[in-house]
Amino acid sequence: MLSKRVIPCLDVRDGRLTKGIKFEGNVDIGDPVESARHYYEQGADEIVFYDITASHEGRGIFLDVVERVASEIFIPFSVGGGIRTLEDMRAVLLAGAEKVSVNSAAVKTPDIISQGAAQFGAQCVVVGMDVLKVGVSEEIPSGYEIVIHGGRKRMGLDAVEWARTCESLGAGELCVNSIDADGTKDGYELTLTRMIAEAVSIPVIASGGAGNPQHMVDAVTEGKATAALIASIVHYGEYSIPEIKQYMSERGVKVRSVW
C-alpha cells in the first residue's frame, strides 16, 4: 500500500504567504520561503505553492519566489497560478518545480493539459479544481460546479465530468479544493472528494477544510484521497507535521516518517 501524503499548501499573494476563508478575507501570515523550509524540515511529503491572484490579474507567476523556495527544499514541489501556456509550464519547471498545477487555464483551454503531458510527462501535470456545491441539476448532475479565477467565476461545468475529462487529456493528478470548506477547519468535503476519487484512476489530493489530524485520516479513508493538503493548522502552529503523521499512523494510515 502506498503511503498517504501530507502536503502543506502555500497560498502566495504579492510574494507573501496568505490565508483566507472560502477564498475571501486573505491576510498576510509570513514568508513563503521560510515556511517551505520549515515544513520540509518537519517531514512534509511535498509542498504546493499557489500564486492565488495571478490568473485573476492576468499575469505570470512570481518566478523569483518559486526559485527561492526550490533552493530551500528537496522534496516534490508543485506550483500553480497564472500558468496559461507551455512556455509558462517550462519556466516554472526550470525555476525548480517538479510539477505544474493548472486550474483556470485548463478549464478555458483544455489542450494545455494534453500538451503539457506530452511535453513534460503526465507526472508533471496537476489539474487544480476549485469546486462549489450548488445542488443537483440537469447541467450539474453531481451537484458540484467548477469555479475559476480564484472562486470568482462559475463555469456551469460539472466537477465529476471535468475530472474525467482531465484524466482523459493526460493529467497525472487532481487537486480537489472545496470552496465551501476552504479555511473553515470543519473538515474536508468528503462527499466531493470520494465522488471524484471513484470517478478517476489517477491520484486525488483532498483540499480545503483541515482543522485537525482526524480530518486528514477521514480524507484518505472515507474520502479515498491519496493525499491531504493542509494550510491553516500548520501555518498557525496548531499542529506540527510530525504530530499529524503520528496521529494518522496510530489510526492505521500508512505515512512516510523519514526519507
Side-chain angles (χ1 to χ4, degrees), residues 2 163-164 166-168 171-174 195-204 226:
L2 292 176
R164 291 193 180 108
C166 292
E167 180 179 31
S168 70
E173 192 166 40
L174 302 175
M195 197 179 290
I196 290 179
E198 290 176 344
V200 300
S201 58
I202 55 177
V204 170
T226 57

mmCIF file of all heavy atoms in Angstrom, residues 2 163-164 166-168 171-174 195-204 226:
data_model
loop_
_atom_site.group_PDB
_atom_site.id
_atom_site.type_symbol
_atom_site.label_atom_id
_atom_site.label_comp_id
_atom_site.label_asym_id
_atom_site.label_seq_id
_atom_site.Cartn_x
_atom_site.Cartn_y
_atom_site.Cartn_z
ATOM 1 N N LEU A 2 0.585 2.191 -0.888
ATOM 2 C CA LEU A 2 1.361 3.411 -0.954
ATOM 3 C C LEU A 2 1.079 4.288 0.257
ATOM 4 O O LEU A 2 -0.044 4.335 0.770
ATOM 5 C CB LEU A 2 1.010 4.189 -2.230
ATOM 6 C CG LEU A 2 1.437 3.553 -3.550
ATOM 7 C CD1 LEU A 2 0.920 4.395 -4.713
ATOM 8 C CD2 LEU A 2 2.951 3.442 -3.619
ATOM 9 N N ALA A 163 -13.382 16.179 -14.000
ATOM 10 C CA ALA A 163 -12.320 15.301 -13.507
ATOM 11 C C ALA A 163 -12.020 14.193 -14.508
ATOM 12 O O ALA A 163 -10.846 13.892 -14.805
ATOM 13 C CB ALA A 163 -12.712 14.702 -12.152
ATOM 14 N N ARG A 164 -13.060 13.574 -15.041
ATOM 15 C CA ARG A 164 -12.865 12.509 -16.041
ATOM 16 C C ARG A 164 -12.201 13.069 -17.307
ATOM 17 O O ARG A 164 -11.337 12.423 -17.913
ATOM 18 C CB ARG A 164 -14.202 11.868 -16.393
ATOM 19 C CG ARG A 164 -14.828 11.050 -15.265
ATOM 20 C CD ARG A 164 -15.975 10.213 -15.792
ATOM 21 N NE ARG A 164 -16.606 9.421 -14.763
ATOM 22 C CZ ARG A 164 -17.813 9.664 -14.248
ATOM 23 N NH1 ARG A 164 -18.518 10.701 -14.695
ATOM 24 N NH2 ARG A 164 -18.324 8.895 -13.309
ATOM 25 N N CYS A 166 -10.170 15.646 -17.496
ATOM 26 C CA CYS A 166 -8.758 15.917 -17.178
ATOM 27 C C CYS A 166 -7.922 14.652 -17.261
ATOM 28 O O CYS A 166 -6.815 14.657 -17.813
ATOM 29 C CB CYS A 166 -8.641 16.532 -15.784
ATOM 30 S SG CYS A 166 -9.331 18.182 -15.644
ATOM 31 N N GLU A 167 -8.457 13.562 -16.719
ATOM 32 C CA GLU A 167 -7.728 12.293 -16.788
ATOM 33 C C GLU A 167 -7.556 11.848 -18.236
ATOM 34 O O GLU A 167 -6.463 11.433 -18.642
ATOM 35 C CB GLU A 167 -8.461 11.217 -15.995
ATOM 36 C CG GLU A 167 -7.748 9.865 -16.038
ATOM 37 C CD GLU A 167 -8.453 8.796 -15.233
ATOM 38 O OE1 GLU A 167 -9.695 8.847 -15.117
ATOM 39 O OE2 GLU A 167 -7.750 7.899 -14.718
ATOM 40 N N SER A 168 -8.606 11.970 -19.028
ATOM 41 C CA SER A 168 -8.531 11.530 -20.427
ATOM 42 C C SER A 168 -7.541 12.368 -21.237
ATOM 43 O O SER A 168 -6.963 11.886 -22.206
ATOM 44 C CB SER A 168 -9.915 11.574 -21.077
ATOM 45 O OG SER A 168 -10.355 12.910 -21.258
ATOM 46 N N ALA A 171 -3.800 14.359 -17.540
ATOM 47 C CA ALA A 171 -3.400 14.857 -16.223
ATOM 48 C C ALA A 171 -2.866 13.709 -15.373
ATOM 49 O O ALA A 171 -3.403 12.604 -15.402
ATOM 50 C CB ALA A 171 -4.584 15.524 -15.519
ATOM 51 N N GLY A 172 -1.835 13.980 -14.600
ATOM 52 C CA GLY A 172 -1.266 12.954 -13.749
ATOM 53 C C GLY A 172 -1.853 12.930 -12.356
ATOM 54 O O GLY A 172 -1.690 11.956 -11.613
ATOM 55 N N GLU A 173 -2.545 14.008 -11.984
ATOM 56 C CA GLU A 173 -3.056 14.142 -10.627
ATOM 57 C C GLU A 173 -4.114 15.247 -10.601
ATOM 58 O O GLU A 173 -4.065 16.177 -11.400
ATOM 59 C CB GLU A 173 -1.888 14.508 -9.705
ATOM 60 C CG GLU A 173 -2.144 14.427 -8.228
ATOM 61 C CD GLU A 173 -0.844 14.483 -7.428
ATOM 62 O OE1 GLU A 173 0.061 15.266 -7.800
ATOM 63 O OE2 GLU A 173 -0.720 13.739 -6.451
ATOM 64 N N LEU A 174 -5.047 15.136 -9.651
ATOM 65 C CA LEU A 174 -6.066 16.165 -9.455
ATOM 66 C C LEU A 174 -5.994 16.670 -8.024
ATOM 67 O O LEU A 174 -5.872 15.871 -7.090
ATOM 68 C CB LEU A 174 -7.470 15.606 -9.715
ATOM 69 C CG LEU A 174 -7.751 15.002 -11.089
ATOM 70 C CD1 LEU A 174 -9.157 14.402 -11.113
ATOM 71 C CD2 LEU A 174 -7.591 16.034 -12.192
ATOM 72 N N MET A 195 -16.389 11.189 -4.454
ATOM 73 C CA MET A 195 -17.049 11.116 -5.750
ATOM 74 C C MET A 195 -16.024 11.214 -6.887
ATOM 75 O O MET A 195 -16.074 10.452 -7.852
ATOM 76 C CB MET A 195 -18.062 12.266 -5.853
ATOM 77 C CG MET A 195 -19.105 12.129 -6.935
ATOM 78 S SD MET A 195 -20.255 13.537 -6.931
ATOM 79 C CE MET A 195 -21.158 13.253 -5.417
ATOM 80 N N ILE A 196 -15.090 12.122 -6.738
ATOM 81 C CA ILE A 196 -14.077 12.296 -7.783
ATOM 82 C C ILE A 196 -13.051 11.175 -7.737
ATOM 83 O O ILE A 196 -12.637 10.652 -8.786
ATOM 84 C CB ILE A 196 -13.436 13.687 -7.676
ATOM 85 C CG1 ILE A 196 -14.476 14.735 -8.084
ATOM 86 C CG2 ILE A 196 -12.172 13.788 -8.534
ATOM 87 C CD1 ILE A 196 -14.027 16.158 -8.020
ATOM 88 N N ALA A 197 -12.628 10.768 -6.547
ATOM 89 C CA ALA A 197 -11.658 9.675 -6.432
ATOM 90 C C ALA A 197 -12.199 8.385 -7.055
ATOM 91 O O ALA A 197 -11.443 7.607 -7.655
ATOM 92 C CB ALA A 197 -11.295 9.449 -4.972
ATOM 93 N N GLU A 198 -13.497 8.166 -6.932
ATOM 94 C CA GLU A 198 -14.101 6.962 -7.503
ATOM 95 C C GLU A 198 -14.315 7.076 -9.009
ATOM 96 O O GLU A 198 -14.463 6.062 -9.691
ATOM 97 C CB GLU A 198 -15.435 6.674 -6.816
ATOM 98 C CG GLU A 198 -15.276 6.207 -5.379
ATOM 99 C CD GLU A 198 -16.599 6.019 -4.656
ATOM 100 O OE1 GLU A 198 -17.636 6.526 -5.144
ATOM 101 O OE2 GLU A 198 -16.596 5.356 -3.589
ATOM 102 N N ALA A 199 -14.295 8.312 -9.524
ATOM 103 C CA ALA A 199 -14.564 8.526 -10.950
ATOM 104 C C ALA A 199 -13.311 8.439 -11.814
ATOM 105 O O ALA A 199 -13.408 8.283 -13.034
ATOM 106 C CB ALA A 199 -15.226 9.885 -11.164
ATOM 107 N N VAL A 200 -12.132 8.544 -11.187
ATOM 108 C CA VAL A 200 -10.868 8.530 -11.943
ATOM 109 C C VAL A 200 -9.908 7.511 -11.346
ATOM 110 O O VAL A 200 -10.113 7.023 -10.238
ATOM 111 C CB VAL A 200 -10.199 9.932 -11.954
ATOM 112 C CG1 VAL A 200 -11.113 10.967 -12.605
ATOM 113 C CG2 VAL A 200 -9.824 10.372 -10.538
ATOM 114 N N SER A 201 -8.859 7.210 -12.091
ATOM 115 C CA SER A 201 -7.862 6.255 -11.594
ATOM 116 C C SER A 201 -6.535 6.927 -11.257
ATOM 117 O O SER A 201 -5.589 6.257 -10.835
ATOM 118 C CB SER A 201 -7.629 5.159 -12.636
ATOM 119 O OG SER A 201 -7.203 5.718 -13.862
ATOM 120 N N ILE A 202 -6.440 8.248 -11.440
ATOM 121 C CA ILE A 202 -5.224 8.979 -11.090
ATOM 122 C C ILE A 202 -5.332 9.488 -9.649
ATOM 123 O O ILE A 202 -6.425 9.547 -9.086
ATOM 124 C CB ILE A 202 -4.973 10.152 -12.066
ATOM 125 C CG1 ILE A 202 -6.190 11.085 -12.129
ATOM 126 C CG2 ILE A 202 -4.613 9.625 -13.449
ATOM 127 C CD1 ILE A 202 -5.994 12.303 -13.028
ATOM 128 N N PRO A 203 -4.189 9.838 -9.033
ATOM 129 C CA PRO A 203 -4.230 10.311 -7.647
ATOM 130 C C PRO A 203 -5.086 11.561 -7.474
ATOM 131 O O PRO A 203 -5.110 12.441 -8.334
ATOM 132 C CB PRO A 203 -2.762 10.609 -7.333
ATOM 133 C CG PRO A 203 -1.979 9.762 -8.284
ATOM 134 C CD PRO A 203 -2.802 9.715 -9.531
ATOM 135 N N VAL A 204 -5.766 11.625 -6.334
ATOM 136 C CA VAL A 204 -6.605 12.768 -5.988
ATOM 137 C C VAL A 204 -6.148 13.325 -4.643
ATOM 138 O O VAL A 204 -6.046 12.589 -3.655
ATOM 139 C CB VAL A 204 -8.094 12.361 -5.912
ATOM 140 C CG1 VAL A 204 -8.940 13.490 -5.323
ATOM 141 C CG2 VAL A 204 -8.609 11.978 -7.295
ATOM 142 N N THR A 226 -5.576 10.245 -2.074
ATOM 143 C CA THR A 226 -4.228 9.707 -1.901
ATOM 144 C C THR A 226 -3.339 10.653 -1.108
ATOM 145 O O THR A 226 -2.239 10.281 -0.692
ATOM 146 C CB THR A 226 -3.565 9.443 -3.268
ATOM 147 O OG1 THR A 226 -3.549 10.661 -4.014
ATOM 148 C CG2 THR A 226 -4.319 8.395 -4.053
#
